[in-house]
Amino acid sequence: MKGLQECLFYEKKAKGKVRCILCPQYCLIEDGQVGFCNVRKNESGILYSMNYGVISSYAMDPIEKKPLSRFHPGSKILSIGSFGCNLKCSFCQNHGISQENREGIRTTPQNIADIASHEKGNIGIAYTYNEPSVWYEFVYETAKLNKENGKENILVTNGYINEKPLEKLLPYIDAMNIDLKGIDDIFYEEVCKGRVGPVLKTIRKSIPKCHVEITTLLVTKKVDNLKTVRSIAEWIGSIDRSVPFHLSRYFPNYQYSEQPTDIEFMKAAKREADKYLDYVYLGNI
């Protein structure tokens, strides 16, 4: 397909279909159709990345905005994003680019790496805003070039990626903020159209390889009880008490209109998480 990049991590199937094996959705995609993420398309039995080189959003951000509190604090980082996501959270805070196709600036990995290298005071590139794993080919190539330039690579991700693609990318990643939306499959299936197991596996695999911080959005009437917060914090602490944990305030967005997270509950949630973890932060307040 002219102008698009062939995807990594897919298998050709009978009758022109392809199986995407990038993430745990394992989409079986017919000719002319796209996968769950809405950015990987089957054209005549070849899977293409529709968002390769397309930038929908970019900014020079404080590192704390990713959020990363214990990785080069006080620094600035070039943040870029495209469109598409492999989950469909009803409360998505970035649905304009994660759930909708958008036009954007077309560029190359080399161009982005050059910009990151020459931007004054910049420590590297953060792949953020939408889900970077569905932008895999562009992120992978850009991260390699950026690393060769001696700059940092950061993923802000939902962690919903299969093991082999993660292993291929991890050597070029210096830090991650992984969004752990809940701690059970019922919640993930009903609200996010995914499963929690692959996310937990990503966290376990990434912690020994790079700096990891974890964020949970405290969604009103979904993730606003101390039992859930305790379970998440206890699970993280069982791996490493020093992993920073961000409890972020929800605001009504996309398909979900409940009131913003109660501030007093957020304070109580922090006190609960503090029992299991050394670094707990309240965000978006």
Side-chain angles (χ1 to χ4, degrees):
M1 192 172 181
K2 188 175 180 181
L4 299 185
Q5 179 77 15
E6 183 176 357
C7 292
L8 302 170
F9 302 105
Y10 75 97
E11 300 169 343
K12 295 188 177 186
K13 298 295 182 180
K15 299 181 180 179
K17 297 178 183 179
V18 299
R19 171 81 68 187
C20 182
I21 55 175
L22 175 64
C23 91
Q25 298 289 357
Y26 287 110
C27 296
L28 182 62
I29 309 170
E30 294 190 10
D31 188 11
Q33 301 301 307
V34 296
F36 186 89
C37 63
N38 211 31
V39 295
R40 304 173 85 75
K41 185 176 184 180
N42 178 2
E43 286 284 348
S44 302
I46 299 176
L47 190 63
Y48 291 98
S49 169
M50 298 172 64
N51 61 355
Y52 182 91
V54 179
I55 302 235
S56 69
S57 311
Y58 63 93
M60 282 295 294
D61 282 334
I63 197 77
E64 289 80 6
K65 193 177 176 182
K66 295 307 94 191
L68 290 172
S69 293
R70 304 188 69 81
F71 184 79
H72 296 286
S75 63
K76 299 278 189 179
I77 191 157
L78 175 64
S79 300
I80 61 172
S82 187
F83 58 88
C85 188
N86 53 3
L87 294 177
K88 294 195 184 301
C89 304
S90 59
F91 48 77
C92 182
Q93 305 290 288
N94 272 339
H95 65 91
I97 58 174
S98 68
Q99 304 301 330
E100 301 168 18
N101 280 357
R102 285 184 52 179
E103 294 298 321
I105 299 168
R106 283 205 171 268
T107 187
T108 65
Q110 187 66 63
N111 185 47
I112 294 299
D114 289 344
I115 292 171
S117 182
H118 294 104
E119 188 73 30
K120 186 177 179 181
N122 176 45
I123 68 165
I125 303 172
Y127 310 91
T128 179
Y129 304 136
N130 76 307
E131 172 50 44
S133 66
V134 303
W135 202 22
Y136 187 93
E137 292 74 18
F138 187 82
V139 170
Y140 177 71
E141 292 176 21
T142 306
K144 285 172 61 177
L145 294 170
N146 191 49
K147 178 70 84 173
E148 290 171 5
N149 290 340
K151 296 293 186 177
E152 309 281 1
N153 287 304
I154 293 172
L155 284 184
V156 182
T157 176
N158 61 26
Y160 210 59
I161 185 171
N162 284 333
E163 196 167 351
K164 287 185 178 180
L166 178 63
E167 288 176 346
K168 185 178 180 70
L169 184 59
L170 269 176
Y172 305 101
I173 301 302
D174 301 285
M176 301 171 73
N177 186 291
I178 303 173
D179 197 6
L180 181 55
K181 300 173 187 297
I183 199 66
D184 64 82
D185 269 336
I186 294 175
F187 172 83
Y188 261 82
E189 288 169 1
E190 290 183 352
V191 179
C192 304
K193 310 306 178 189
R195 296 177 290 115
V196 71
V199 182
L200 301 180
K201 184 179 289 186
T202 294
I203 293 171
R204 284 189 180 277
K205 195 164 194 68
S206 301
I207 285 175
K209 302 292 186 180
C210 66
H211 178 85
V212 171
E213 302 193 16
I214 295 171
T215 295
T216 295
L217 187 68
L218 297 178
V219 181
T220 304
K221 295 187 178 179
K222 294 293 183 183
V223 194
D224 64 348
N225 63 84
L226 292 182
K227 181 180 178 182
T228 298
V229 172
R230 182 185 310 118
S231 296
I232 294 172
E234 194 171 15
W235 182 83
I236 298 169
S238 71
I239 302 172
D240 186 346
R241 279 190 61 96
S242 69
V243 171
F245 184 37
H246 300 263
L247 296 167
S248 187
R249 193 181 191 202
Y250 146 88
F251 287 90
N253 215 330
Y254 195 32
Q255 300 166 339
Y256 200 72
S257 58
E258 293 293 338
Q259 291 299 305
T261 319
D262 179 72
I263 294 291
E264 292 306 312
F265 166 72
M266 293 190 68
K267 293 176 182 177
K270 182 183 185 308
R271 290 193 294 270
E272 188 65 28
D274 280 336
K275 298 175 184 177
Y276 306 97
L277 297 165
D278 296 334
Y279 307 107
V280 181
Y281 303 92
L282 296 182
N284 213 21
I285 58 174

